[in-house]
Amino acid sequence: MKALEKLDSHLKTRLPDLNKAKEGHKIIGYSAGGYLPEELVLACDAIPICFIQAGNNAILRDAGAYICRWFDPFWRSQIGYLTSGKDPYYNIVDLIVVPITDNHVRAFSNTLGYYTPEVESFVFGVPHVKDKIALDYYLKGINRLKKKLEDFTGIEITDYRLKQSIKLCNRERELFREISLMRKSDDFAVDSKDFVALNHGSFIADKEIMIDILELFIQEIKDSSPLPKDDPRILFTGSTLVRGDSKVMGIIEDSSGAIVMEEFAEGIRPYWGKVKTDGYLMANLAESYFMDRICPGWFRPGTERLNYLVKLAKEYNTAGLIWYQLMYRESYKVESYFFPGILKKETGLPMLVLESEYDAMETGPMKTRIETFIETIRR
Amino acid sequence: MGNYYDELFKLCGFEDEEIKKERHRIEASFERLGIGPEDMDTADSWVRQNHDVSLEGVRKLLGAWLKELIDLVLAKDEGKKIVYFGFPAIIGPGLMLSASSEEVFVSAPDMVLDHTMGQIFNKLTPILEAGETNGLPQGHALCSLWQAKIGGIAKGMIPVPDLALASSYYCDMGSKADDLVNALYGVPIAYIDGVMDSKWGEYPKYLPERVHYLGAQINQALEKAEKILNIKIATDAWERSQKDSGPFRANLVKLVELMRADPVPISICELELLEALSGSSTGRGIREGIKAMEILLIELEKRVKAGMGVTKKGAPRVMVRLGHTSDPRVTRLIEDVGLAVPLTFILGSWGGVKVKPKGNYNTPGEVIADYEMTGGYYYGTEAQIKFYEKAIELMKLDGFIAQYLYNCRPVATISHAQKKYLEEKTGLPVLALEIDNFDSRAYSAASLRTKVETFAEMLKAKKSTNSQ
């Protein structure tokens, strides 16, 4: 598809392009999780880059010099990339922003602060409950971030600038929604791997180019033939699905499973929300990014997300759910024990739990389990 | 007429009258716990092997834990409204609830099980296994303290609570495991949320919104507790709870003074019984603990005067994070290889090193939150590490054993940084030691011995060289 080729071509030159852009713009790196409003970065004429590379077990050895093994491998990967410089995006950014969600992210933030003090950084916290006081706390955090970005770039984030960037990001979210919703139909042509590739690309790509790519993708999809209907429709969910971590998706595809929805806290852009462009814009950002967003597994209680999964499973007419969590991410591990009962009761659907530490040795057992699961749910 | 458990209870500091008075409750709780005559020999030898029962204060401390266990097991039968909190916890809200109504029983049941079913009866493993088969499987670095709690409930040993106070300000695992208890047993949860989001290098400063947020969450949780438990929190509950637990803190300060002696007068295994009690009990356990401490302090003063100690005079002195909650052999190992332990993180932070709260706040929640920010433990990793650094102002030390709990993410974040930081800042050697502080099946004394022994030999050689 031309859209994907265009994305590929854009990403191939992204680093040299960013190097050139550095002359007039600040590059703001930020950690995954979807709690940094990119609008703020764009509004001060800076470039947001999200660190979403992982999937390579070798980088965990680099991280082992800074942290013990018992943390989520995605966050250990970030520690490895940060300290080794093996992800070039870490080397190009001027400031790293870390929205702290749970203790795995905090381990990364500690490493950043203690081992690489020469790297300018900014942290703010994301509460784990949803209520008015938590919303206020998040709003205070992003207001501090706004001030930091203004000071750092020398550009005031006016309402006008912020509104323009909100409109741009809203457009991107709208396009992702449009693509995603196509999969509710039986006759859909969106391959999940392509959708995920677009998502991952959007964390690195130039925002306006990305919007062009998404628009082109939608045009192409509308002209494409539907994917085979016989494959069991799968809801794919978990903590983290990032660039470079394609093993499970590959096995599902090879086993003739059709992923029709991906629900992940890290690595998939929260695209269901739309930020309002009237009134107090910072409050609108907080409302959309914190309150309206379906919360990840490290929120308590996790009921909102679990109910949402049940809803997705029904609305997308799925035959089963594959729950893909990373080792030692305890919030997801604990939920994976009691959620199958809820899912079964509400939908009658089965659930397969997979766990990874980005180890190639996992492939064989995973293949057996996924193949068996898909054979079982094939109708 | 005596019974099969009398000798054990006497060994654990019970007076004859107390046993007589408690007899029905002891028997009812033993039935629930599956403890019978066949367990007494094991318990007797296990206690003698692991604790210095020549000290009456130690025996009374063991007794305080047993009393807390009995109260816990029978709380539902005795009509109490039960509140569980996680460990470690900001204890203030629990103390306030406890101080507001005699009908409310507030405790950290996992710690109680560890200290009794683990340290006294050596019967913790089946409870942990029950936790593993009820949602917290082995092999995933999940908290073994939580395995004990879930296992205890699943086995019917401890009652299902009426309310869970979730420590959402510290531990992701704890709050999510509270969700598990809710899913399995329908227990309502009052989440006390907080965010450890101070940037490295900021401590001891913190943003006022951290206090406001955590404080508001504490206040909100207390309001929820009032509704669920149908009680009214007394306006002076905070002051009263502080007054009630004040003697404990005062005694800890005295204890720190005694621990300056060479040789140190008491083992870290016994100190652990003390420290953990203050973070686990809000009722009879803590009151009995205060009495036990008073006896213990007199006994230790005598030991110091007589030059008696648990290691040789001149032994290298190390600070550790804390002692093992269920298997004292793991803790004892440090002394067995010839190291003296005069200080723990808890003793240092509660009984010694002081950082004053920053502001004037009006609500109980904010007052507690402000206090906890300066306390360090719930501030973040940097504060925890800096507390170790400050400890050398409090006590002469030759090194640190910086234990980190592999299955406790908030603590495991210090795994490497703590060693590097302390070695650079203090010049003292640091052993970063990976442990499971609540379950010795995988991290036993034997498995840790090589590391600790080697570190001890190095410290002894260094000390010997320095003294020549």
Side-chain angles (χ1 to χ4, degrees):
Chain A
M1 292 176 82
K2 282 185 183 160
L4 292 167
E5 284 167 20
K6 192 173 172 185
L7 176 64
D8 197 35
S9 155
H10 174 59
L11 295 181
K12 270 184 186 151
T13 61
R14 188 59 174 151
L15 275 167
D17 291 347
L18 285 171
N19 261 320
K20 280 183 209 157
K22 264 177 94 76
E23 287 166 19
H25 306 269
K26 295 288 186 191
I27 301 177
I28 312 297
Y30 69 96
S31 52
Y35 282 99
L36 180 130
E38 287 181 323
E39 285 89 337
L40 291 174
V41 179
L42 293 165
C44 56
D45 216 12
I47 302 168
I49 295 289
C50 180
F51 303 118
I52 52 154
Q53 187 67 38
N56 179 0
N57 187 268
I59 199 68
L60 302 182
R61 284 197 288 275
D62 290 296
Y66 302 90
I67 193 85
C68 62
R69 178 189 171 179
W70 313 104
F71 284 85
D72 177 313
F74 170 71
W75 287 101
R76 277 186 287 143
S77 298
Q78 300 318 300
I79 289 170
Y81 287 129
L82 165 74
T83 51
S84 70
K86 288 178 183 172
D87 176 355
Y89 286 106
Y90 272 104
N91 306 331
I92 205 168
V93 296
D94 300 300
L95 169 73
I96 294 180
V97 181
V98 188
I100 295 181
T101 53
D102 70 358
N103 281 301
H104 299 267
V105 185
R106 209 162 62 78
F108 170 72
S109 167
N110 286 341
T111 308
L112 177 63
Y114 180 55
Y115 287 101
T116 61
E118 70 282 5
V119 178
E120 187 145 5
S121 64
F122 181 86
V123 300
F124 68 97
V126 181
H128 313 98
V129 297
K130 272 193 183 179
D131 57 27
K132 174 70 174 63
I133 49 176
L135 176 65
D136 285 349
Y137 191 84
Y138 178 76
L139 175 58
K140 280 181 184 149
I142 61 172
N143 268 319
R144 283 195 293 117
L145 172 64
K146 176 173 175 269
K147 173 80 170 50
K148 172 71 186 179
L149 290 170
E150 287 175 331
D151 293 346
F152 192 67
T153 61
I155 294 173
E156 186 190 352
I157 301 179
T158 61
D159 263 16
Y160 175 77
R161 296 183 77 100
L162 188 52
K163 194 176 284 190
Q164 295 309 305
S165 67
I166 289 174
K167 283 180 182 170
L168 191 67
C169 293
N170 272 345
R171 176 67 182 147
E172 185 184 44
R173 286 187 282 265
E174 184 187 0
L175 292 166
F176 272 116
R177 266 198 313 276
E178 190 178 339
I179 300 168
S180 192
L181 284 166
M182 288 177 184
R183 302 179 295 182
K184 277 192 174 179
S185 147
D186 278 347
D187 292 320
F188 71 95
V190 183
D191 187 316
S192 175
K193 278 169 85 174
D194 295 343
F195 183 72
V196 169
L198 287 168
N199 236 294
H200 291 166
S202 77
F203 286 115
I204 300 165
D206 174 87
K207 194 65 69 189
E208 288 179 356
I209 292 174
M210 193 66 218
I211 287 171
D212 289 344
I213 290 169
L214 290 168
E215 285 171 345
L216 177 59
F217 185 83
I218 290 171
Q219 273 178 13
E220 290 183 304
I221 282 292
K222 284 177 178 168
D223 297 335
S224 302
S225 307
L227 298 174
K229 287 184 187 175
D230 300 339
D231 296 344
R233 295 167 65 91
I234 287 166
L235 169 56
F236 189 37
T237 188
S239 59
T240 315
L241 184 69
V242 292
R243 203 165 176 233
D245 181 16
S246 56
K247 180 168 57 192
V248 174
M249 289 195 83
I251 300 172
I252 294 171
E253 188 183 55
D254 291 347
S255 311
S256 302
I259 296 171
V260 293
M261 173 52 67
E262 315 78 8
E263 195 284 322
F264 283 85
E266 292 159 346
I268 297 293
R269 179 178 293 281
Y271 52 80
W272 296 106
K274 184 178 180 185
V275 181
K276 284 183 272 182
T277 52
D278 56 344
Y280 178 29
L281 298 179
M282 291 302 290
N284 295 350
L285 285 172
E287 193 73 31
S288 181
Y289 275 81
F290 180 77
M291 215 63 181
D292 294 347
R293 177 184 169 186
I294 300 295
C295 60
W298 39 85
F299 271 60
R300 22 266 190 185
T303 325
E304 182 194 31
R305 183 176 137 272
L306 301 179
N307 289 342
Y308 180 62
L309 288 174
V310 168
K311 182 169 171 267
L312 286 176
K314 288 176 181 169
E315 285 184 357
Y316 280 77
N317 190 27
T318 58
L321 186 148
I322 294 182
W323 177 290
Y324 173 52
Q325 69 202 25
L326 296 181
M327 285 293 280
Y328 315 126
R329 202 67 177 265
E330 61 277 68
S331 299
Y332 280 80
K333 181 67 198 165
V334 175
E335 283 190 347
S336 76
Y337 176 77
F338 61 84
F339 182 60
I342 297 171
L343 182 71
K344 192 84 181 169
K345 188 179 161 205
E346 297 292 329
T347 66
L349 297 177
M351 175 171 133
L352 173 68
V353 180
L354 300 170
E355 223 165 343
S356 173
E357 203 176 10
Y358 299 147
D359 192 332
M361 295 286 282
E362 299 159 351
T363 309
M366 268 189 187
K367 196 168 187 315
T368 307
R369 298 186 65 210
I370 292 170
E371 280 175 354
T372 308
F373 182 72
I374 290 176
E375 278 311 307
T376 309
I377 62 173
R378 192 179 292 283
R379 295 172 187 163
Chain B
M1 189 180 150
N3 212 324
Y4 68 88
Y5 47 78
D6 285 13
E7 289 308 310
L8 179 69
F9 273 70
K10 283 180 197 166
L11 183 64
C12 294
F14 274 65
E15 305 294 336
D16 288 336
E17 275 306 303
E18 283 181 308
I19 297 171
K20 197 174 160 190
K21 194 176 163 194
E22 293 268 346
R23 196 168 294 289
H24 292 298
R25 298 182 79 233
I26 292 170
E27 287 169 12
S29 56
F30 272 19
E31 191 179 343
R32 192 77 49 82
L33 292 162
I35 294 171
E38 68 281 6
D39 296 307
M40 293 303 111
D41 285 348
T42 304
D44 186 274
S45 64
W46 187 239
V47 168
R48 289 178 194 279
Q49 177 189 333
N50 289 313
H51 290 289
D52 186 350
V53 288
S54 68
L55 292 166
E56 188 190 353
V58 168
R59 296 200 302 274
K60 293 280 184 193
L61 273 174
L62 289 164
W65 279 106
L66 277 176
K67 286 169 185 167
E68 186 74 13
L69 175 72
I70 295 165
D71 292 351
L72 165 67
V73 171
L74 301 179
K76 190 74 100 186
D77 304 328
E78 294 174 348
K80 302 278 187 188
K81 293 165 183 171
I82 303 168
V83 180
Y84 289 165
F85 58 86
F87 184 91
I90 293 176
I91 193 100
L95 288 171
M96 286 175 70
L97 289 176
S98 205
S100 296
S101 170
E102 288 188 359
E103 291 175 14
V104 178
F105 177 80
V106 189
S107 182
D110 33 18
M111 287 292 279
V112 180
L113 289 171
D114 272 23
H115 285 85
T116 51
M117 297 304 280
Q119 291 209 29
I120 295 175
F121 297 103
N122 194 15
K123 290 186 80 170
L124 190 67
T125 297
I127 302 173
L128 292 168
E129 287 170 350
E132 289 169 349
T133 53
N134 281 278
L136 303 177
Q138 70 274 47
H140 297 270
L142 297 174
C143 175
S144 33
L145 207 47
W146 263 97
Q147 287 171 334
K149 188 189 286 191
I150 301 272
I153 296 174
K155 287 176 81 70
M157 291 177 164
I158 59 172
V160 174
D162 297 291
L163 175 69
L165 278 182
S167 52
S168 184
Y169 43 82
Y170 187 63
C171 167
D172 300 296
M173 164 90 213
S175 299
K176 199 45 75 172
D178 276 314
D179 280 4
L180 174 64
V181 176
N182 173 272
L184 297 176
Y185 303 103
V187 175
I189 307 166
Y191 297 95
I192 301 176
D193 193 41
V195 189
M196 291 193 278
D197 62 352
S198 294
K199 191 180 166 187
W200 195 280
E202 283 180 359
Y203 186 78
K205 291 180 185 163
Y206 47 86
L207 293 169
E209 49 256 47
R210 277 196 75 180
V211 175
H212 292 309
Y213 181 58
L214 180 58
Q217 287 282 329
I218 291 171
N219 292 333
Q220 200 166 261
L222 289 172
E223 284 168 21
K224 187 168 182 178
E226 280 186 322
K227 281 182 195 157
I228 290 173
L229 303 172
N230 194 25
I231 60 163
K232 185 74 192 158
I233 293 174
T235 49
D236 63 343
W238 171 245
E239 288 75 17
R240 270 202 288 143
S241 68
Q242 287 304 289
K243 199 178 163 194
D244 290 348
S245 57
F248 199 95
R249 289 193 301 276
N251 284 343
L252 276 177
V253 175
K254 289 179 196 164
L255 190 57
V256 170
E257 281 304 308
L258 290 170
M259 294 305 280
R260 290 181 202 275
D262 182 17
V264 292
I266 191 167
S267 164
I268 184 69
C269 295
E270 323 308 348
L271 290 187
E272 194 281 329
L273 290 172
L274 260 178
E275 295 174 344
L277 194 59
S278 62
S280 312
S281 165
T282 66
R284 189 159 69 134
I286 192 79
R287 291 193 295 274
E288 294 291 322
I290 291 169
K291 288 184 207 162
M293 263 179 117
E294 279 157 8
I295 296 167
L296 190 61
L297 283 168
I298 295 167
E299 292 179 318
L300 296 186
E301 277 168 13
K302 284 181 190 163
R303 278 194 171 186
V304 170
K305 275 184 194 160
M308 282 174 66
V310 291
T311 46
K312 281 183 190 166
K313 188 173 170 63
R317 296 159 71 89
V318 295
M319 177 182 177
V320 304
R321 186 178 194 89
L322 73 183
H324 203 282
T325 60
S326 66
D327 186 348
R329 292 174 302 181
V330 179
T331 319
R332 182 85 64 194
L333 165 69
I334 299 170
E335 288 154 358
D336 285 349
V337 298
L339 298 178
V341 186
L343 197 60
T344 63
F345 182 89
I346 311 269
L347 202 60
S349 56
W350 290 0
V353 181
K354 291 281 185 295
V355 182
K356 284 189 176 168
K358 299 287 185 292
N360 295 314
Y361 294 98
N362 298 319
T363 69
E366 286 171 316
V367 171
I368 294 170
D370 191 33
Y371 178 79
E372 295 296 344
M373 284 302 107
T374 56
Y377 212 85
Y378 305 106
Y379 175 98
T381 309
E382 186 195 4
Q384 292 196 17
I385 293 176
K386 285 190 172 167
F387 251 78
Y388 280 83
E389 183 191 357
K390 280 184 79 70
I392 56 168
E393 295 168 17
L394 189 71
M395 189 83 70
K396 186 174 167 6
L397 296 169
D398 298 297
F400 297 91
I401 297 185
Q403 301 134 309
Y404 65 92
L405 285 62
Y406 89 104
N407 50 356
C408 175
R409 249 59 62 183
V411 177
T413 54
I414 65 167
S415 65
H416 292 41
Q418 178 166 255
K419 177 177 166 65
K420 178 174 154 53
Y421 183 93
L422 289 175
E423 284 182 345
E424 286 175 0
K425 293 285 182 180
T426 69
L428 297 177
V430 180
L431 172 66
L433 189 65
E434 184 169 293
I435 57 164
D436 177 345
N437 207 56
F438 314 112
D439 172 9
S440 61
R441 289 174 300 169
Y443 291 78
S444 65
S447 72
L448 299 170
R449 189 172 187 94
T450 312
K451 288 177 192 170
V452 178
E453 204 166 45
T454 308
F455 184 66
E457 290 310 314
M458 187 269 287
L459 283 185
K460 285 180 211 166
K462 189 167 181 257
K463 194 156 188 178
S464 165
T465 307
N466 288 347
S467 64
Q468 282 168 10

